[in-house]
Amino acid sequence: MLDFGFSEILLTSAIALVVLGPERLPKVARQVGNWIGRARAMARQLSEQLEREVSADELLKEQSKPNPPAGAAGADPHAAPHAEYNPPTTVPTTTPSND
C-alpha cells in the first residue's frame, strides 16, 4: 500500500505539531486514527462481500452445469447401475476343544 519511512513520519509529525500545536494534536491524531480504522474496516467488509459473491456465483455455475452420465461415453444413461461386488465372507471354523 503506502510505504512511509521513519524520516517521512517524523517530518509529518513535526509539521503537524507546528501547525496544530500541542493542545490540538492529540485530539486530531485520535480522529485520524479512528478514520483510518473505519476505512480499514470498510475495505475488509468490501473484500469479504466480494469473496462471498464470487463464491456464490461459482456455486451457481456448478449447480447449473449438466452432470455427465456415469460410466463410459455413449453408455445408456437409463441402464441400471452396476452393483458393487462384495466377496463372500468366510465362515469361522470351530476348533475342537480339549475337554
Side-chain angles (χ1 to χ4, degrees), residues 29-94:
R30 194 174 314 116
Q31 286 177 343
V32 169
N34 285 337
W35 291 339
I36 291 173
R38 287 179 186 172
R40 285 183 179 172
M42 285 192 292
R44 186 181 61 247
Q45 288 175 353
L46 177 64
S47 65
E48 289 172 355
Q49 180 67 28
L50 286 174
E51 287 293 324
R52 284 192 299 265
E53 292 294 328
V54 168
S55 297
D57 188 41
E58 289 174 355
L59 182 61
L60 189 61
K61 284 181 182 179
E62 285 293 322
Q63 289 177 348
S64 66
K65 274 190 201 175
N67 291 335
D76 185 12
H78 301 291
H82 297 285
E84 184 177 318
Y85 173 71
N86 292 323
T89 57
T90 58
V91 178
T93 57
T94 58

